[in-house]
Amino acid sequence: MELDSLFWNQIKTTIKTKNGANKLLENWLDPIELIKSEKTADSLKITFGVPSQFFFFYVNEHLKDKIAQELREQSNIPVEIDFVVTGKTASDYNTSLQDVMQNTEQVFQQPVQVVPAGPRPVENINEEFTFSTFVVGKNSEFAHAATYNVACNPGTNDYNPLLIYGPSGMGKTHLLNAAGNQIRQNYPHLRIVYISAERFLNECVSALRRHEMDKFRQKYRENTDVIVVDDVQYIGRGEAVQEEFFHMINSFIEKKKQVVLASDRMPKDILGLEDRSRTRLERGLIADITMPDLETRLAILRYKAENYNVRLNEDTIQYIAKISKKSIRELEGNLKKIKMFSELQGLSINLELARKVLAHHENTVTISIEEIQRIVAEYYKIRVTDLKSTSRAKPIVVPRQIAMYLIKKFLDKSLVDIGKAFGGKDHTTVINSLDKVENLQNQDPQFKNDIDELINQIHNVTGL
Ligand SMILES: Nc1ncnc2c1ncn2[C@@H]1O[C@H](COP(=O)(O)OP(=O)(O)OP(=O)(O)O)[C@@H](O)[C@H]1O
């Protein structure tokens, strides 16, 4: 995707919509203009122009992340952003922007913010990411329940810190924002800070350089009641920052103030994280969030389609959900691509159009029958040849039925093909196996646990 001025204007509008009617945001966002957009092999490099040094500092500090996130979501590739000062003055802009510029100067000279009545605003929080816009599936029910609990009773139970972890694009940021929004609504007096660990790191480093650590601590420890930190994996990058982060969390916990964190990996896997920081993170509650199965992806897609006002027939829904296996961000991105394409070309959305737009996704390698048989055989410590044999011993029959079930679930092969892959079993044997596994999952929690574990292992192989 190349970024042109028209598209940049659309992005600005989206950022504004996501942040509600916010004059201050408009004042800073409107004068930012696109200078250059270059697509390299694996990222999009964009240079924006801002009128003054004032702008330069402000947008780097407060808007860069927002803009990058929105661009990433729209383009689905990593985005690098730079700002340059153009030196333009208010008179270089059209009349409406002249107002904006003049307001901006005033805002800059009067940094004291008047806190409006009602819940305090939370900088950077996305008001659209709430619990009601989060579709709960088996992959996220624990993380969702834990976050919701914490949001309803911040700081009052042992879930402190609460750490949500899981791969990219799985809904961690959404849950973190939902917690922030919920706390803001239920406890309007609480001062909530939502920040990415990367920004925490940058601010901390700059405070260290300027010998302004007292100010930094005042902001994050004294003047904050709930801290929500995203992408905590970055904290391992700097020793001094880690030290500061560790003390900040301790001070929050001592004062019974809630800490909510998200990371793309477990604390033990965060590079550079010292033992005491790791144990601190592990002492609260850790909840993981994994890739949803097809059923949940379908539910999320239906919800998103309704939300974006996109009408999809059943075939198209099934197709998009089946091929969007990497993340929910991908699922959402694919839906947006189809919507945009249909609008630009004036075509109605159907399976044919979806296939055309998403053709490159279909080549993604998933998993083979043999691979699933191997995973199941290893799990039950039997041989693949046992699965294909005619043995009717229970330790062989149950794994065989499970392997058939998983092949149907992940590969959607015909009953005949599945039968063939197990030494030429009849298709009625396959039907019976699928029914047995389905029923047993509802009756026996241990059995269900085994299936979930196998599904996880398959996800690990496919990277789904
Ligand atoms: N269960 C869900 N229901 C509805 N929308 C979801 C769900 N999970 C994720 N999304 C949407 O998918 C997109 C990506 O989610 P999010 O940014 O929260 O992922 P993430 O796990 O924080 O990723 P990263 O680690 O890259 O920051 C968002 O638009 C979010 O609203």
Side-chain angles (χ1 to χ4, degrees):
M1 186 202 74
E2 288 284 340
L3 184 70
D4 58 23
S5 297
L6 195 68
F7 196 37
W8 168 229
N9 283 338
Q10 281 173 14
I11 300 263
K12 283 190 196 171
T13 310
T14 313
I15 296 176
K16 287 183 212 165
T17 315
K18 285 190 177 171
N19 288 276
N22 183 339
K23 191 71 190 154
L24 187 63
L25 174 68
E26 272 178 31
N27 286 351
W28 293 108
L29 197 57
D30 279 347
I32 303 176
E33 41 178 10
L34 176 70
I35 303 277
K36 202 166 59 176
S37 155
E38 286 170 62
K39 177 139 175 12
T40 64
D42 48 11
S43 72
L44 191 60
K45 284 193 174 165
I46 303 165
T47 310
F48 289 112
V50 291
S52 67
Q53 205 64 31
F54 291 157
F55 262 92
F56 183 85
F57 285 125
Y58 187 91
V59 296
N60 260 300
E61 200 73 352
H62 300 281
L63 285 182
K64 192 174 177 179
D65 287 351
K66 256 195 192 92
I67 295 173
Q69 182 180 348
E70 192 53 39
L71 286 166
R72 257 200 314 268
E73 273 178 26
Q74 301 279 345
S75 60
N76 259 339
I77 54 170
V79 174
E80 286 173 50
I81 292 185
D82 267 319
F83 293 99
V84 292
V85 177
T86 57
K88 287 187 177 177
T89 61
S91 58
D92 292 318
Y93 292 87
N94 62 32
T95 28
S96 60
L97 278 182
Q98 282 181 19
D99 284 343
V100 170
M101 288 287 290
Q102 269 141 21
N103 284 342
T104 306
E105 300 297 331
Q106 281 165 18
V107 169
F108 194 81
Q109 274 144 31
Q110 288 187 340
V112 183
Q113 279 189 27
V114 180
V115 178
R120 288 161 184 276
V122 183
E123 209 182 301
N124 292 329
I125 207 147
N126 185 336
E127 291 182 5
E128 283 184 13
F129 287 176
T130 62
F131 288 113
S132 60
T133 57
F134 189 87
V135 182
V136 185
K138 284 180 209 140
N139 65 314
S140 62
E141 59 190 357
F142 181 56
H144 173 268
T147 319
Y148 187 70
N149 189 306
V150 155
C152 293
N153 313 284
T156 58
N157 51 33
D158 290 339
Y159 307 157
N160 206 7
L162 167 66
L163 172 68
I164 310 291
Y165 90 91
S168 180
M170 237 40 109
K172 303 182 295 297
T173 301
H174 190 133
L175 277 183
L176 252 50
N177 279 273
N181 282 315
Q182 186 77 24
I183 297 174
R184 182 172 170 241
Q185 201 184 329
N186 293 357
Y187 304 89
H189 62 287
L190 291 183
R191 294 159 304 174
I192 307 164
V193 164
Y194 171 88
I195 186 172
S196 74
E198 208 169 5
R199 182 164 152 205
F200 181 89
L201 191 136
N202 290 339
E203 279 190 29
C204 186
V205 168
S206 123
L208 279 165
R209 268 199 212 120
R210 295 189 198 150
H211 305 287
E212 288 178 351
M213 283 311 284
D214 285 349
K215 216 163 124 192
F216 180 82
R217 287 184 190 128
Q218 170 97 8
K219 176 175 173 189
Y220 287 111
R221 290 198 209 167
E222 309 308 324
N223 296 347
T224 302
D225 302 308
V226 175
I227 190 144
V228 183
V229 188
D230 209 347
D231 295 324
V232 163
Q233 67 273 8
Y234 292 117
I235 288 295
R237 284 189 185 171
E239 244 173 64
V241 176
Q242 205 179 125
E243 172 94 8
E244 197 51 43
F245 188 70
F246 171 76
H247 287 301
M248 180 185 77
I249 294 192
N250 278 345
S251 118
F252 265 71
I253 293 167
E254 268 165 29
K255 293 181 186 155
K256 293 207 168 302
K257 299 200 290 191
Q258 186 67 47
V259 180
V260 188
L261 311 169
S263 165
D264 68 1
R265 62 206 80 163
M266 286 283 274
K268 70 174 172 51
D269 299 323
I270 298 180
L271 216 63
L273 198 67
E274 287 170 12
D275 278 354
R276 63 177 184 158
S277 304
R278 182 181 50 72
T279 35
R280 176 34 97 204
L281 295 185
E282 288 170 350
R283 219 178 288 162
L285 178 68
I286 299 186
D288 73 333
I289 178 162
T290 55
M291 185 60 194
D293 56 14
L294 180 62
E295 194 189 328
T296 310
R297 296 210 296 277
L298 285 167
I300 294 174
L301 185 60
R302 286 186 219 283
Y303 174 79
K304 298 273 174 190
E306 203 180 307
N307 232 12
Y308 294 135
N309 232 344
V310 182
R311 281 173 161 271
L312 298 175
N313 63 26
E314 193 51 31
D315 284 353
T316 315
I317 290 185
Q318 292 280 342
Y319 170 74
I320 302 171
K322 270 186 190 157
I323 66 161
S324 308
K325 299 171 218 149
K326 282 203 201 94
S327 69
I328 301 171
R329 181 174 293 124
E330 184 197 36
L331 181 72
E332 200 173 7
N334 283 344
L335 175 65
K336 282 187 193 164
K337 269 184 211 151
I338 292 172
K339 175 177 157 63
M340 201 147 86
F341 194 86
S342 88
E343 284 171 358
L344 289 174
Q345 305 272 331
L347 298 167
S348 54
I349 299 177
N350 55 25
L351 183 59
E352 194 191 345
L353 183 92
R355 276 189 194 281
K356 190 170 164 190
V357 177
L358 304 178
H360 59 288
H361 281 262
E362 291 191 32
N363 301 327
T364 320
V365 178
T366 53
I367 194 162
S368 63
I369 290 186
E370 292 72 26
E371 196 83 343
I372 293 181
Q373 288 175 327
R374 181 190 60 75
I375 289 173
V376 175
E378 272 177 18
Y379 188 79
Y380 287 101
K381 304 201 172 16
I382 57 176
R383 294 166 308 164
V384 172
T385 45
D386 295 328
L387 291 176
K388 297 181 179 182
S389 72
T390 51
S391 168
R392 298 172 74 95
K394 201 171 169 200
I396 306 290
V397 171
V398 174
R400 184 185 297 136
Q401 290 169 339
I402 291 175
M404 288 179 175
Y405 170 84
L406 292 172
I407 288 168
K408 183 75 193 159
K409 180 179 171 75
F410 280 93
L411 300 179
D412 206 19
K413 294 279 176 195
S414 73
L415 299 171
V416 174
D417 282 349
I418 296 176
K420 270 189 203 154
F422 287 83
K425 305 277 180 299
D426 190 73
H427 77 279
T428 52
T429 311
V430 180
I431 294 178
N432 284 338
S433 301
L434 302 183
D435 287 348
K436 280 228 170 81
V437 175
E438 198 67 65
N439 292 337
L440 260 175
Q441 280 190 85
N442 296 327
Q443 294 157 12
D444 180 350
Q446 179 55 47
F447 183 82
K448 168 143 189 352
N449 214 33
D450 289 347
I451 301 282
D452 285 346
E453 176 52 35
L454 284 163
I455 289 176
N456 257 343
Q457 289 193 20
I458 294 174
H459 282 159
N460 285 343
V461 171
T462 54
L464 305 187

